[in-house]
Amino acid sequence: MAYRFRFESVLSYRRNLEELARQKLTLAQAQLERQRVRLAELEEELRRALIAFEERKQRPLTAPLYVLFVEGIERRERDLASQHKAVVSQQEVVEQARGELVEKVRQRKVMEKARERDYQAWLRAERQKEQNELDEQMVLRFKR
């Protein structure tokens, strides 16, 4: 008789949940990387805008052009602050996904440990059954 774990479907379900959590973490990490790249781009845009403004201030500057520069710099600073908040938020999402993955791995390992204990108990029972059969054969053979 072959070994069959009673909770194999539960173990498979736990493995599937772990894989889904792993995929969720991967997607969250990819999103975080995109957010960080965008943050670096915005920082570079702000730096270039400040340099252009400083260079332009060396020459005569009209009031409308000055306002345009200042508003552009302020908008870039707001975008940068917003993107920084998005990066922090995405880092929290990644940490949450990582925590979920750790929990799913733990649950799967618990089930695998239960499966291993169940298998060892089954092996002991099979060995005991074989030993009883051999003992019975020996008793029958030597009774004659």
Side-chain angles (χ1 to χ4, degrees), residues 71-85:
E71 287 176 354
I73 289 171
E74 287 175 353
R75 184 184 54 82
R76 284 183 176 88
E77 287 173 343
R78 283 193 308 270
D79 290 347
L80 186 63
S82 172
Q83 188 63 30
H84 183 69
K85 287 178 185 175

Side-chain angles (χ1 to χ4, degrees), residues 40-52:
E41 289 171 355
L42 289 173
E43 287 171 345
E44 181 61 24
E45 283 180 20
L46 178 60
R47 188 186 66 78
R48 282 191 308 237
L50 288 171
I51 290 172

Side-chain angles (χ1 to χ4, degrees), residues 26-76:
T26 302
L27 292 174
Q29 287 173 330
Q31 179 66 23
L32 176 60
E33 187 57 33
R34 286 191 297 273
Q35 296 282 352
R36 285 181 175 160
V37 167
R38 179 67 181 139
L39 181 64
E41 289 171 355
L42 289 173
E43 287 171 345
E44 181 61 24
E45 283 180 20
L46 178 60
R47 188 186 66 78
R48 282 191 308 237
L50 288 171
I51 290 172
F53 182 55
E54 291 300 321
E55 288 174 357
R56 186 65 175 115
K57 282 195 318 187
Q58 302 302 323
R59 295 175 277 161
L61 190 62
T62 63
L65 190 56
Y66 178 81
V67 170
L68 187 64
F69 268 111
V70 170
E71 287 176 354
I73 289 171
E74 287 175 353
R75 184 184 54 82
R76 284 183 176 88

Side-chain angles (χ1 to χ4, degrees), residues 8-144:
E8 190 67 39
S9 60
V10 175
L11 181 58
S12 296
Y13 178 69
R14 296 273 167 91
R15 285 180 182 145
N16 290 340
L17 288 178
E18 179 186 349
E19 184 58 33
L20 289 174
R22 195 175 309 278
Q23 289 173 0
K24 182 178 177 182
L25 176 61
T26 302
L27 292 174
Q29 287 173 330
Q31 179 66 23
L32 176 60
E33 187 57 33
R34 286 191 297 273
Q35 296 282 352
R36 285 181 175 160
V37 167
R38 179 67 181 139
L39 181 64
E41 289 171 355
L42 289 173
E43 287 171 345
E44 181 61 24
E45 283 180 20
L46 178 60
R47 188 186 66 78
R48 282 191 308 237
L50 288 171
I51 290 172
F53 182 55
E54 291 300 321
E55 288 174 357
R56 186 65 175 115
K57 282 195 318 187
Q58 302 302 323
R59 295 175 277 161
L61 190 62
T62 63
L65 190 56
Y66 178 81
V67 170
L68 187 64
F69 268 111
V70 170
E71 287 176 354
I73 289 171
E74 287 175 353
R75 184 184 54 82
R76 284 183 176 88
E77 287 173 343
R78 283 193 308 270
D79 290 347
L80 186 63
S82 172
Q83 188 63 30
H84 183 69
K85 287 178 185 175
V87 167
V88 169
S89 173
Q90 190 62 32
Q91 286 173 335
E92 291 171 0
V93 169
V94 167
E95 287 306 314
Q96 181 183 7
R98 185 173 285 122
E100 288 175 11
L101 177 60
V102 166
E103 179 62 23
K104 300 302 181 194
V105 167
R106 188 189 64 74
Q107 289 175 353
R108 176 190 51 84
K109 285 184 178 182
V110 165
M111 286 303 296
E112 285 179 348
K113 199 63 133 166
R115 180 183 186 192
E116 183 61 31
R117 282 193 305 269
D118 189 56
Y119 179 68
Q120 292 301 324
W122 179 81
L123 281 178
R124 282 192 300 278
E126 286 294 310
R127 285 189 203 119
Q128 185 62 40
K129 190 168 34 170
E130 280 182 28
Q131 188 62 45
N132 288 344
E133 289 173 3
L134 290 174
D135 289 348
E136 192 174 309
Q137 287 177 2
M138 293 303 285
V139 166
L140 289 175
R141 185 176 293 166
F142 286 108
K143 269 192 173 178
R144 291 183 196 174

